[in-house]
Amino acid sequence: MTSTAGYAETIDRYVRFWNAEKPDEQRELAAETFTDDVEYCAVIGVFAGREALIGFHGQFTQHMPTAVLHRREEPQVHHDRARLRWEIEVDEGKAFAAGTDVLVFDPDGRISSVTAFLDRAPEGFDAHAHH
């Protein structure tokens, strides 16, 4: 069983993964942070496996190269789950979107699933366009 401090380290790596600019750094963080079969479920789609999540990150940063994910507050952790409230900023501080991710950890402390909710969608976002 991993401690709350261990989960905090994983959450730190999770945030760093979303902000990683170099593919090698991204892959290293993904290997340390996610299980091989991690499931990421968001309004825009469901991604299964570490490689699919890396691919999604790459697609997003191609369209939003200045995006930076920040925590909005300290994550809440209990048992094998955490709630991470985040905001994405673009162009050095312009608010883009905000959301909440529910993370589930495996016994080794890596993330086995993420359920991502949008608290404030990007301007012009159509949730019905994504299935």
Side-chain angles (χ1 to χ4, degrees):
M1 175 183 244
T2 300
S3 69
T4 301
Y7 292 147
E9 291 173 13
T10 302
I11 294 167
D12 286 343
R13 285 193 309 271
Y14 179 76
V15 171
R16 290 196 338 256
F17 168 80
W18 289 114
N19 292 321
E21 295 178 15
K22 297 177 181 173
D24 289 347
E25 178 187 13
Q26 198 179 84
R27 288 196 174 286
E28 183 178 320
L29 285 166
E32 295 172 357
T33 305
F34 303 110
T35 59
D36 293 340
D37 59 349
V38 63
E39 180 181 81
Y40 183 87
C41 181
V43 174
I44 58 161
V46 176
F47 303 91
R50 204 182 294 153
E51 288 301 316
L53 201 50
I54 290 169
F56 168 63
H57 178 278
Q59 288 177 342
F60 181 79
T61 56
Q62 281 181 331
H63 296 292
M64 305 295 298
T66 64
V68 178
L69 184 134
H70 299 284
R71 296 177 187 193
R72 291 189 289 167
E73 60 188 42
E74 265 312 297
Q76 295 175 322
V77 178
H78 69 78
H79 298 87
D80 63 346
R81 287 166 170 63
R83 179 170 69 170
L84 172 65
R85 296 181 53 151
W86 51 262
E87 180 172 48
I88 296 174
E89 295 178 348
V90 295
D91 302 328
E92 298 182 18
K94 179 182 172 193
F96 174 72
T100 301
D101 288 357
V102 177
L103 312 173
V104 178
F105 302 96
D106 78 346
D108 293 328
R110 292 185 302 155
I111 297 170
S112 61
S113 76
V114 178
T115 304
F117 294 90
L118 279 175
D119 300 337
R120 187 182 69 246
E123 188 175 320
F125 179 79
D126 180 5
H128 301 292
H130 305 279
H131 298 283

